[in-house]
Amino acid sequence: EEQLVESGGGLVQPGGSLRLSCAASGFSFSSYWMHWVRQAPGKGLVWVSRINTDGSGINYADSVKGRFTISRDNAKNTVYLQMNSLRAEDTGVYYCARSRGPGATCVGYWGQGTSVTVSS
Amino acid sequence: DIQMTQSPSTLSASVGDRVTMTCRAGQSIGYWLAWYQQKPGRAPNLLLYKASILESGVPSRFSGSGSGTEFTLIITSLQPDDFATYYCQQYSTYPWTFGQGTKVEIK
């Protein structure tokens, strides 16, 4: 069974850092682009970042560029999101997701999310 | 960034109704549009991609159409399980962007 399991969320002070992890299983991880999408409490979905299969292609939302870094370890079937200089507006549920198919397709399968709260 | 605008924001309907919602892109995105359904406390679920292709396992009462800047999601004969929030997303140009969502409520 295909699974994406996020971890690493929690409470952090403004200006702090967190590293989210997403462990994948049940599919050929190294063949799929991976994404992070977030959702502030009671708000809509916001695409955050994507990484291609070998990590050579990366994109970010403007709101996180220069503060967040996406990476992956295909040997560990894991994608990461390093979040630095966190702000209150970064609060929300962070979903890990994989592309629908190999290559540049839409997001097809989502994890259940991990919650991040940025507050003093 | 490409702005995606969904309408209406909220839609009240009854079981059995035909429901239509729209998504407009700030510039042409071809057919690079996906629709997702999200229920409270749950992760989103892909319904359609490339504007009109139904994802495997999604009921055929869901359909999508459009290209360029204007897109439509139709649910024929609304079922109790369909009360949820629906999001469109463009994946034509980075950064990918979502619409603000259309919440389908029980009338």
Side-chain angles (χ1 to χ4, degrees), chain A residues 80-92:
Chain A
Y80 305 96
L81 187 68
Q82 177 67 44
M83 305 188 295
N84 298 332
S85 303
L86 282 162
R87 307 166 180 166
E89 54 265 36
D90 295 319
T91 293

Side-chain angles (χ1 to χ4, degrees), chain A residues 25-102:
Chain A
S25 60
F27 65 98
S28 180
F29 177 77
S30 60
S31 298
Y32 289 83
W33 291 19
M34 298 298 295
H35 302 260
W36 288 96
V37 178
R38 70 183 181 188
Q39 187 168 35
K43 303 296 185 182
L45 301 168
V46 176
W47 177 86
V48 172
S49 183
R50 72 95 185 178
I51 186 168
N52 69 351
T53 54
D54 64 3
S56 63
I58 288 173
N59 294 88
Y60 297 99
D62 293 344
S63 58
V64 307
K65 203 173 292 184
R67 300 188 299 123
F68 289 13
T69 302
I70 190 171
S71 61
R72 67 189 296 160
D73 185 336
N74 286 340
K76 295 183 178 180
N77 287 354
T78 302
V79 62
Y80 305 96
L81 187 68
Q82 177 67 44
M83 305 188 295
N84 298 332
S85 303
L86 282 162
R87 307 166 180 166
E89 54 265 36
D90 295 319
T91 293
V93 174
Y94 283 71
Y95 295 102
C96 164
R98 70 152 175 84
S99 56
R100 182 192 168 275

Side-chain angles (χ1 to χ4, degrees), chain B residues 13-21 54 59-64 73-80 82 86:
Chain B
S14 302
V15 172
D17 284 353
R18 176 185 173 94
V19 166
T20 302
M21 62 191 78
L54 201 65
S60 59
R61 63 180 178 273
F62 292 92
S63 65
L73 173 67
I74 294 174
I75 311 172
T76 59
S77 190
L78 194 69
Q79 298 301 300
D82 302 337
Y86 294 83

